Amino acid sequence: MNEKEVPISINLELKTEDLDSKYMWWLLNNKLVELKEQKFIVCGKCGEKRTSTSDVIFCNNCGARLNQTKAITINSINKINYEKLLSLVEEFLVKNLKTEVSFVKRNMVVSISHNGKEILTIFPEISSIEFLVRKDADHCIVVYLDPRTKYGSSLFKNRAFYVGKFISLEQDKLVELLNALTENNINEYAKAEREFNLFIQKISTMSNQDRGAKFELFVKDMLDSLKSILPSKLEHLRVMHPDDLYNSKIVNIGGAGYEDFRVINLYEYLSGIKPEKSGEAKCYSSATFTKEDFGEALRHALEDDILIVAATDKIAPSVWNNVINMKRQKGYYKYVIIDRELLMILLGFLIEKNSEFLHSYY
């Protein structure tokens, strides 16, 4: 049995050394993945591989006769139990740390309270991708499933672990890692979320009219303050991360006839916050921003471009689908929705420059 880091990826064809890895045994024993077995015939002339069936006689690629007796068996990953995998990480942390550990299901991250600060364990292939922007390498642990990705690069130096190796960390090594992370000041994005929650909590006691007016004022102040900050922040994304997941947002589309999700370029999307856009501010933090809400915004805007700032991250898939389709038609983001995750990024940009920005609101 070896210690090869096996990529945990759907439809990944497993080699002999993958199946013999202690991590694959761990994955299978804990029912974190399911495998499927398929038989293939490999053409002896051109190497073309195809599923083995009794009525296949000739190679589709070169026409050579195939030998059914030389069929090979290939195992591949058919299913990944993501939530159970995250739960096992949470159990490992609870067992080894005398502190508060919780699984934040909404964002698919594991939160650790250590030395009075929050450290997030982020799973790039699972967690809300915005956390890669909101939490820098000094304030998070990255636990990746696929070692072929770039999450072990300098951006997360000494903070990135293959999931199998992470849950094998000895207690003293784990505590040493958390101590190193919490020696740094809490970052602006964590402050933004904490202070924004206080603001929402305060206005939740107001009447609907007053609450809406207060949130609209907050949005106007935020956009005004971003004028001198956002261009340089977006330029950093464009130059330093032109083609990786750090510069991306994943939106759920779903529905019959549509892909399940779409990865959009974060620089390009946030660049859609520009003049000549009709604005809408929605302060409800737990309800879903529905197709009907979006239709109302469209009616208000007539034919104008639209910027919608919402306190919720529950955006109906049909709304995102409308945003994407209009981008395809127009070539730019005519409709821009700033959901809670993006709102925290923008607030983090502001708090980095002015730590007092949100104080007057709560």
Side-chain angles (χ1 to χ4, degrees):
M1 192 172 293
N2 60 61
E3 295 196 10
K4 181 182 178 183
E5 297 182 4
V6 181
I8 306 172
S9 179
I10 294 292
N11 296 324
L12 173 73
E13 293 186 359
L14 300 171
K15 300 177 182 178
T16 301
E17 58 266 33
D18 295 325
L19 293 169
D20 195 40
S21 167
K22 74 172 189 177
Y23 298 119
M24 179 52 66
W25 281 91
W26 168 71
L27 291 165
L28 292 171
N29 288 340
N30 286 283
K31 301 187 186 313
L32 300 176
V33 299
E34 292 181 7
L35 304 185
K36 66 178 178 181
E37 182 179 284
Q38 284 185 295
K39 290 188 179 296
F40 293 90
I41 301 176
V42 179
C43 177
K45 183 177 181 180
C46 70
E48 177 81 2
K49 183 178 67 177
R50 63 171 299 159
T51 304
S52 174
T53 59
S54 59
D55 60 344
V56 175
I57 301 175
F58 299 102
C59 175
N60 282 346
N61 184 49
C62 69
R65 180 177 289 275
L66 300 175
N67 188 341
Q68 288 282 353
T69 63
K70 293 187 177 181
I72 62 173
T73 299
I74 293 179
N75 286 282
S76 61
I77 295 177
N78 185 50
K79 182 179 179 181
I80 304 172
N81 191 334
Y82 293 110
E83 287 201 25
K84 186 173 182 181
L85 193 149
L86 267 61
S87 294
L88 279 181
V89 172
E90 179 190 8
E91 290 174 15
F92 160 73
L93 292 170
V94 169
K95 179 180 178 181
N96 288 278
L97 297 173
K98 296 179 180 179
T99 186
E100 182 181 346
V101 178
S102 60
F103 173 34
V104 186
K105 187 171 182 179
R106 176 174 68 91
N107 295 310
M108 301 296 276
V109 298
V110 176
S111 173
I112 306 170
S113 178
H114 188 74
N115 291 340
K117 296 178 182 178
E118 181 190 42
I119 300 298
L120 289 182
T121 307
I122 298 172
F123 304 80
E125 294 96 341
I126 308 173
S127 303
S128 297
I129 204 67
E130 289 81 2
F131 278 95
L132 292 178
V133 178
R134 289 171 50 196
K135 302 288 181 181
D136 61 24
D138 292 329
H139 297 90
C140 71
I141 301 169
V142 174
V143 179
Y144 56 87
L145 279 61
D146 191 339
R148 298 172 299 177
T149 61
K150 300 177 181 179
Y151 296 109
S153 66
S154 59
L155 179 65
F156 297 107
K157 188 177 181 181
N158 302 322
R159 306 287 189 266
F161 300 86
Y162 176 65
V163 62
K165 290 186 175 180
F166 180 69
I167 66 163
S168 301
L169 285 177
E170 296 179 358
Q171 186 181 46
D172 59 339
K173 295 293 184 182
L174 183 60
V175 173
E176 182 182 332
L177 170 65
L178 293 176
N179 287 340
L181 292 172
T182 53
E183 285 174 0
N184 299 286
N185 293 327
I186 188 168
N187 71 27
E188 292 74 19
Y189 310 108
K191 288 180 185 177
E193 182 140 25
R194 182 184 62 196
E195 296 188 2
F196 183 75
N197 287 340
L198 291 174
F199 166 52
I200 292 296
Q201 184 179 351
K202 178 180 178 180
I203 67 174
S204 65
T205 60
M206 299 178 178
S207 67
N208 289 341
Q209 184 175 356
D210 289 345
R211 182 168 65 249
K214 188 72 173 178
F215 189 74
E216 287 174 17
L217 178 62
F218 156 75
V219 170
K220 291 174 183 176
D221 288 348
M222 179 189 71
L223 293 174
D224 188 57
S225 300
L226 281 169
K227 289 178 182 177
S228 61
I229 300 173
L230 192 56
S232 61
K233 290 294 184 180
L234 294 184
E235 186 66 7
H236 173 78
L237 276 179
R238 187 188 70 81
V239 174
M240 301 302 295
H241 307 280
D243 192 28
D244 60 43
L245 282 176
Y246 191 91
N247 179 22
S248 66
K249 177 174 176 58
I250 296 179
V251 298
N252 294 320
I253 297 176
Y258 298 108
E259 63 264 49
D260 292 332
F261 63 87
R262 185 169 181 83
V263 183
I264 62 178
N265 183 294
L266 194 58
Y267 163 78
E268 187 179 4
Y269 185 73
L270 290 181
S271 295
I273 303 176
K274 58 185 181 182
E276 301 302 327
K277 263 186 159 57
S278 175
E280 293 277 340
K282 303 294 183 182
C283 67
Y284 39 78
S285 58
S286 58
T288 298
F289 183 80
T290 65
K291 180 172 65 175
E292 289 72 25
D293 294 323
F294 187 62
E296 180 184 359
L298 290 176
R299 288 191 294 274
H300 290 172
L302 298 177
E303 296 298 321
D304 288 347
D305 293 1
I306 297 175
L307 172 64
I308 297 170
V309 181
T312 181
D313 60 358
K314 297 177 182 178
I315 309 297
S318 58
V319 174
W320 283 125
N321 186 47
N322 203 316
V323 170
I324 299 300
N325 282 339
M326 186 56 70
K327 163 65 163 58
R328 289 168 175 158
Q329 293 178 34
K330 298 292 185 180
Y332 72 100
Y333 285 103
K334 182 178 177 67
Y335 308 143
V336 175
I337 299 175
I338 302 300
D339 59 5
R340 183 184 174 88
E341 297 292 357
L342 292 179
L343 186 57
M344 293 305 102
I345 292 175
L346 296 178
L347 286 176
F349 291 165
L350 290 178
I351 289 177
E352 183 179 5
K353 183 175 182 181
N354 176 14
S355 62
E356 305 293 315
F357 175 77
L358 272 168
H359 288 187
S360 62
Y361 292 96
Y362 62 87

PDB file of all heavy atoms in Angstrom, residues 43-59:
ATOM      1  N   CYS A  43      -7.828  -1.447 -29.088  1.00  0.00           N
ATOM      2  CA  CYS A  43      -7.406  -1.884 -30.429  1.00  0.00           C
ATOM      3  C   CYS A  43      -5.898  -2.130 -30.453  1.00  0.00           C
ATOM      4  O   CYS A  43      -5.112  -1.250 -30.062  1.00  0.00           O
ATOM      5  CB  CYS A  43      -7.775  -0.826 -31.465  1.00  0.00           C
ATOM      6  SG  CYS A  43      -7.227  -1.228 -33.144  1.00  0.00           S
ATOM      7  N   GLY A  44      -5.509  -3.308 -30.916  1.00  0.00           N
ATOM      8  CA  GLY A  44      -4.090  -3.633 -30.951  1.00  0.00           C
ATOM      9  C   GLY A  44      -3.321  -2.862 -32.005  1.00  0.00           C
ATOM     10  O   GLY A  44      -2.096  -2.806 -31.964  1.00  0.00           O
ATOM     11  N   LYS A  45      -4.041  -2.238 -32.947  1.00  0.00           N
ATOM     12  CA  LYS A  45      -3.375  -1.513 -34.023  1.00  0.00           C
ATOM     13  C   LYS A  45      -3.208  -0.024 -33.719  1.00  0.00           C
ATOM     14  O   LYS A  45      -2.115   0.524 -33.853  1.00  0.00           O
ATOM     15  CB  LYS A  45      -4.160  -1.697 -35.319  1.00  0.00           C
ATOM     16  CG  LYS A  45      -3.494  -1.030 -36.527  1.00  0.00           C
ATOM     17  CD  LYS A  45      -4.288  -1.298 -37.804  1.00  0.00           C
ATOM     18  CE  LYS A  45      -3.625  -0.654 -39.012  1.00  0.00           C
ATOM     19  NZ  LYS A  45      -4.382  -0.903 -40.268  1.00  0.00           N
ATOM     20  N   CYS A  46      -4.311   0.655 -33.336  1.00  0.00           N
ATOM     21  CA  CYS A  46      -4.225   2.120 -33.136  1.00  0.00           C
ATOM     22  C   CYS A  46      -4.343   2.541 -31.668  1.00  0.00           C
ATOM     23  O   CYS A  46      -4.143   3.713 -31.341  1.00  0.00           O
ATOM     24  CB  CYS A  46      -5.303   2.823 -33.947  1.00  0.00           C
ATOM     25  SG  CYS A  46      -6.992   2.558 -33.327  1.00  0.00           S
ATOM     26  N   GLY A  47      -4.705   1.616 -30.774  1.00  0.00           N
ATOM     27  CA  GLY A  47      -4.812   1.958 -29.361  1.00  0.00           C
ATOM     28  C   GLY A  47      -6.133   2.557 -28.958  1.00  0.00           C
ATOM     29  O   GLY A  47      -6.328   2.936 -27.805  1.00  0.00           O
ATOM     30  N   GLU A  48      -7.085   2.662 -29.893  1.00  0.00           N
ATOM     31  CA  GLU A  48      -8.410   3.189 -29.588  1.00  0.00           C
ATOM     32  C   GLU A  48      -9.068   2.308 -28.524  1.00  0.00           C
ATOM     33  O   GLU A  48      -9.029   1.088 -28.585  1.00  0.00           O
ATOM     34  CB  GLU A  48      -9.258   3.217 -30.852  1.00  0.00           C
ATOM     35  CG  GLU A  48     -10.690   3.681 -30.653  1.00  0.00           C
ATOM     36  CD  GLU A  48     -10.813   5.194 -30.593  1.00  0.00           C
ATOM     37  OE1 GLU A  48      -9.790   5.887 -30.741  1.00  0.00           O
ATOM     38  OE2 GLU A  48     -11.944   5.669 -30.428  1.00  0.00           O
ATOM     39  N   LYS A  49      -9.714   2.944 -27.553  1.00  0.00           N
ATOM     40  CA  LYS A  49     -10.359   2.216 -26.457  1.00  0.00           C
ATOM     41  C   LYS A  49     -11.861   2.428 -26.537  1.00  0.00           C
ATOM     42  O   LYS A  49     -12.321   3.549 -26.725  1.00  0.00           O
ATOM     43  CB  LYS A  49      -9.831   2.724 -25.112  1.00  0.00           C
ATOM     44  CG  LYS A  49     -10.386   1.986 -23.901  1.00  0.00           C
ATOM     45  CD  LYS A  49      -9.767   2.523 -22.626  1.00  0.00           C
ATOM     46  CE  LYS A  49     -10.200   3.949 -22.364  1.00  0.00           C
ATOM     47  NZ  LYS A  49      -9.663   4.489 -21.090  1.00  0.00           N
ATOM     48  N   ARG A  50     -12.631   1.359 -26.394  1.00  0.00           N
ATOM     49  CA  ARG A  50     -14.068   1.502 -26.401  1.00  0.00           C
ATOM     50  C   ARG A  50     -14.684   0.457 -25.488  1.00  0.00           C
ATOM     51  O   ARG A  50     -14.073  -0.554 -25.157  1.00  0.00           O
ATOM     52  CB  ARG A  50     -14.623   1.375 -27.814  1.00  0.00           C
ATOM     53  CG  ARG A  50     -14.404   0.034 -28.480  1.00  0.00           C
ATOM     54  CD  ARG A  50     -15.179  -0.044 -29.783  1.00  0.00           C
ATOM     55  NE  ARG A  50     -16.604   0.093 -29.523  1.00  0.00           N
ATOM     56  CZ  ARG A  50     -17.499   0.472 -30.448  1.00  0.00           C
ATOM     57  NH1 ARG A  50     -17.090   0.774 -31.658  1.00  0.00           N
ATOM     58  NH2 ARG A  50     -18.778   0.546 -30.172  1.00  0.00           N
ATOM     59  N   THR A  51     -15.930   0.751 -25.061  1.00  0.00           N
ATOM     60  CA  THR A  51     -16.615  -0.149 -24.151  1.00  0.00           C
ATOM     61  C   THR A  51     -16.785  -1.514 -24.804  1.00  0.00           C
ATOM     62  O   THR A  51     -17.157  -1.628 -25.972  1.00  0.00           O
ATOM     63  CB  THR A  51     -18.005   0.404 -23.785  1.00  0.00           C
ATOM     64  OG1 THR A  51     -17.846   1.711 -23.252  1.00  0.00           O
ATOM     65  CG2 THR A  51     -18.673  -0.470 -22.742  1.00  0.00           C
ATOM     66  N   SER A  52     -16.517  -2.537 -24.008  1.00  0.00           N
ATOM     67  CA  SER A  52     -16.602  -3.898 -24.519  1.00  0.00           C
ATOM     68  C   SER A  52     -18.048  -4.378 -24.608  1.00  0.00           C
ATOM     69  O   SER A  52     -18.778  -4.342 -23.631  1.00  0.00           O
ATOM     70  CB  SER A  52     -15.823  -4.842 -23.597  1.00  0.00           C
ATOM     71  OG  SER A  52     -15.999  -6.186 -23.988  1.00  0.00           O
ATOM     72  N   THR A  53     -18.463  -4.771 -25.797  1.00  0.00           N
ATOM     73  CA  THR A  53     -19.772  -5.397 -26.015  1.00  0.00           C
ATOM     74  C   THR A  53     -19.584  -6.563 -26.961  1.00  0.00           C
ATOM     75  O   THR A  53     -18.674  -6.566 -27.789  1.00  0.00           O
ATOM     76  CB  THR A  53     -20.799  -4.408 -26.607  1.00  0.00           C
ATOM     77  OG1 THR A  53     -20.291  -3.911 -27.844  1.00  0.00           O
ATOM     78  CG2 THR A  53     -21.073  -3.257 -25.656  1.00  0.00           C
ATOM     79  N   SER A  54     -20.460  -7.555 -26.846  1.00  0.00           N
ATOM     80  CA  SER A  54     -20.280  -8.779 -27.612  1.00  0.00           C
ATOM     81  C   SER A  54     -20.419  -8.588 -29.119  1.00  0.00           C
ATOM     82  O   SER A  54     -19.889  -9.360 -29.909  1.00  0.00           O
ATOM     83  CB  SER A  54     -21.284  -9.832 -27.141  1.00  0.00           C
ATOM     84  OG  SER A  54     -22.615  -9.345 -27.296  1.00  0.00           O
ATOM     85  N   ASP A  55     -21.138  -7.527 -29.541  1.00  0.00           N
ATOM     86  CA  ASP A  55     -21.368  -7.352 -30.976  1.00  0.00           C
ATOM     87  C   ASP A  55     -20.359  -6.416 -31.638  1.00  0.00           C
ATOM     88  O   ASP A  55     -20.483  -6.085 -32.808  1.00  0.00           O
ATOM     89  CB  ASP A  55     -22.793  -6.824 -31.217  1.00  0.00           C
ATOM     90  CG  ASP A  55     -23.039  -5.487 -30.551  1.00  0.00           C
ATOM     91  OD1 ASP A  55     -22.231  -5.120 -29.666  1.00  0.00           O
ATOM     92  OD2 ASP A  55     -24.032  -4.824 -30.892  1.00  0.00           O
ATOM     93  N   VAL A  56     -19.349  -5.965 -30.851  1.00  0.00           N
ATOM     94  CA  VAL A  56     -18.308  -5.114 -31.436  1.00  0.00           C
ATOM     95  C   VAL A  56     -17.251  -6.018 -32.075  1.00  0.00           C
ATOM     96  O   VAL A  56     -16.656  -6.859 -31.406  1.00  0.00           O
ATOM     97  CB  VAL A  56     -17.663  -4.209 -30.360  1.00  0.00           C
ATOM     98  CG1 VAL A  56     -16.500  -3.433 -30.983  1.00  0.00           C
ATOM     99  CG2 VAL A  56     -18.693  -3.250 -29.808  1.00  0.00           C
ATOM    100  N   ILE A  57     -17.023  -5.836 -33.368  1.00  0.00           N
ATOM    101  CA  ILE A  57     -16.068  -6.691 -34.081  1.00  0.00           C
ATOM    102  C   ILE A  57     -14.872  -5.900 -34.594  1.00  0.00           C
ATOM    103  O   ILE A  57     -13.733  -6.339 -34.500  1.00  0.00           O
ATOM    104  CB  ILE A  57     -16.759  -7.401 -35.270  1.00  0.00           C
ATOM    105  CG1 ILE A  57     -17.923  -8.254 -34.748  1.00  0.00           C
ATOM    106  CG2 ILE A  57     -15.758  -8.256 -36.054  1.00  0.00           C
ATOM    107  CD1 ILE A  57     -18.736  -8.903 -35.856  1.00  0.00           C
ATOM    108  N   PHE A  58     -15.142  -4.692 -35.116  1.00  0.00           N
ATOM    109  CA  PHE A  58     -14.073  -3.906 -35.719  1.00  0.00           C
ATOM    110  C   PHE A  58     -13.909  -2.560 -34.998  1.00  0.00           C
ATOM    111  O   PHE A  58     -14.858  -1.994 -34.453  1.00  0.00           O
ATOM    112  CB  PHE A  58     -14.353  -3.663 -37.204  1.00  0.00           C
ATOM    113  CG  PHE A  58     -14.438  -4.924 -38.004  1.00  0.00           C
ATOM    114  CD1 PHE A  58     -15.667  -5.451 -38.374  1.00  0.00           C
ATOM    115  CD2 PHE A  58     -13.281  -5.582 -38.396  1.00  0.00           C
ATOM    116  CE1 PHE A  58     -15.751  -6.614 -39.115  1.00  0.00           C
ATOM    117  CE2 PHE A  58     -13.355  -6.748 -39.151  1.00  0.00           C
ATOM    118  CZ  PHE A  58     -14.594  -7.274 -39.502  1.00  0.00           C
ATOM    119  N   CYS A  59     -12.698  -2.036 -35.013  1.00  0.00           N
ATOM    120  CA  CYS A  59     -12.383  -0.731 -34.414  1.00  0.00           C
ATOM    121  C   CYS A  59     -13.009   0.384 -35.243  1.00  0.00           C
ATOM    122  O   CYS A  59     -12.843   0.411 -36.480  1.00  0.00           O
ATOM    123  CB  CYS A  59     -10.868  -0.555 -34.340  1.00  0.00           C
ATOM    124  SG  CYS A  59     -10.353   1.084 -33.752  1.00  0.00           S
TER     125      CYS A  59
END
